[in-house]
Amino acid sequence: NFPSTEANPDIIPGIPTVSKDVTVNEETKVWARIFRPNKLPSNDNTVVRLPIVFYFHVEHRLAPEHRLPTQYEDAIDTILWVKKQVLDPQGERWLRDYGDFTRCYLGGRGSGGNIAFHAAIKAADHDIKPLNINGIFLNQPMFGGKERLPSELKYATDQLIPLPVLDLLWELALPKATDRDHRYCNPMQDAVYKSKVSSLGRCLVISFDMDPMFDRVQAFVQMLVAEKVQVDARFDIVGFHNIDIVDTQRAQAILNIIKEFII
């Protein structure tokens, strides 16, 4: 049983946000939690609209029962659900009244960063107007490949994600009969996918030197730069994969970087 926190649609003293849970897709049971600040900024007594941030910790379907690209499809469903709300006069009020649908951002950490990247690529194949994706932010995104890179070999026995664990995760998540050079795992190896990267716009990438996937992320950034994507890469020599889970000071620093990127 994983710990969970209930949504709080009513203001609670000491908590700066309110939240509510919504069903994105009745058939797949995918749901999301919407957050908004208690104190909404205003200008001349008019509420200032806030950017809409899709953070992919959405309650999507999981592997191995549901292999990739199921999770990307759930992400696209979420984007299209938000589009429906802003177009529907009876749509979700928090999005209609407070969201700036011309300023949408996709992001996530680890596998969520992988989902954000692929969802942004796939969104170009859908009519999401009037939504506009201004950029993506990827915190320690999860990528891989058949070839062992130096950082993977250096941290092959990493306590959190040693190489056998990474290999198993990809084996359980990737489509059957594929390997770790599949575009879902290693987009740097897919020429067709690389040709679509230029549509991403701005991209923030955060990684740490002690992450076994550090060299993967560097190669990913090099691909973005080669495809003329506007990249803000933040690499730190001190830190490891999922450091923001155990280091609250570092978590706040990462949050501040993302906030600056979105604002």
Side-chain angles (χ1 to χ4, degrees):
N1 294 321
F2 291 97
S4 62
T5 302
E6 296 296 325
N8 57 298
D10 301 314
I11 294 177
I12 298 176
I15 298 180
T17 62
V18 288
S19 61
K20 66 171 70 171
D21 294 338
V22 296
T23 300
V24 170
N25 187 315
E26 292 281 358
E27 182 178 347
T28 61
K29 309 302 181 186
V30 172
W31 61 273
R33 179 163 293 179
I34 305 177
F35 293 87
R36 72 164 178 82
N38 291 339
K39 296 180 180 179
L40 293 163
S42 64
N43 185 11
D44 296 329
N45 295 321
T46 301
V47 173
V48 175
R49 290 185 174 271
L50 302 170
I52 298 174
V53 179
F54 295 81
Y55 185 78
F56 289 109
H57 191 68
V58 174
E59 194 67 11
H60 55 71
R61 290 171 288 176
L62 302 176
E65 294 81 5
H66 303 282
R67 292 174 177 266
L68 295 169
T70 300
Q71 293 72 23
Y72 308 149
E73 294 166 357
D74 291 345
I76 293 295
D77 276 353
T78 306
I79 294 170
L80 294 176
W81 180 86
V82 171
K83 169 190 172 177
K84 181 179 178 181
Q85 305 313 304
V86 299
L87 292 176
D88 183 355
Q90 304 302 318
E92 170 52 52
R93 180 173 170 269
W94 284 7
L95 291 168
R96 285 186 51 79
D97 292 356
Y98 309 125
D100 182 351
F101 45 82
T102 67
R103 290 191 297 152
C104 296
Y105 294 86
L106 312 184
R109 175 178 52 77
S111 58
N114 178 292
I115 293 173
F117 167 71
H118 288 284
I121 294 290
K122 290 180 177 295
D125 297 328
H126 294 264
D127 178 13
I128 65 170
K129 294 178 180 177
L131 303 187
N132 180 58
I133 298 175
N134 275 18
I136 62 175
F137 58 93
L138 314 178
N139 177 15
Q140 308 159 73
M142 188 168 179
F143 296 112
K146 289 171 61 177
E147 180 189 0
R148 299 300 194 192
L149 298 187
S151 63
E152 293 170 332
L153 295 174
K154 182 177 181 180
Y155 297 108
T157 58
D158 180 77
Q159 291 186 357
L160 180 64
I161 44 172
L163 279 186
V165 170
L166 275 176
D167 292 347
L168 179 59
L169 289 174
W170 285 117
E171 181 182 338
L172 294 173
L174 286 169
K176 292 182 177 180
T178 63
D179 59 35
R180 292 191 307 279
D181 275 344
H182 190 281
R183 60 185 176 276
Y184 298 156
C185 179
N186 190 0
M188 291 75 80
Q189 289 291 325
D190 192 292
V192 175
Y193 231 54
K194 287 168 68 173
S195 69
K196 298 181 178 182
V197 166
S198 59
S199 66
L200 290 178
R202 299 169 60 230
C203 184
L204 169 66
V205 183
I206 300 170
S207 187
F208 298 91
D209 183 62
M210 294 171 64
D211 185 341
M213 288 175 280
F214 183 70
D215 288 345
R216 295 279 175 200
V217 177
Q218 286 190 312
F220 174 74
V221 168
Q222 290 169 4
M223 177 188 74
L224 296 180
V225 172
E227 298 300 327
K228 312 301 182 187
V229 178
Q230 182 181 342
V231 185
D232 182 358
R234 304 292 185 97
F235 295 142
D236 197 324
I237 61 172
V238 179
F240 47 87
H241 196 74
N242 286 347
I243 187 174
D244 50 331
I245 291 178
V246 297
D247 187 332
T248 55
Q249 185 175 0
R250 189 58 58 89
Q252 186 60 53
I254 292 173
L255 183 60
N256 290 339
I257 292 172
I258 294 172
K259 193 159 70 171
E260 291 172 6
F261 174 77
I262 292 172
I263 292 174

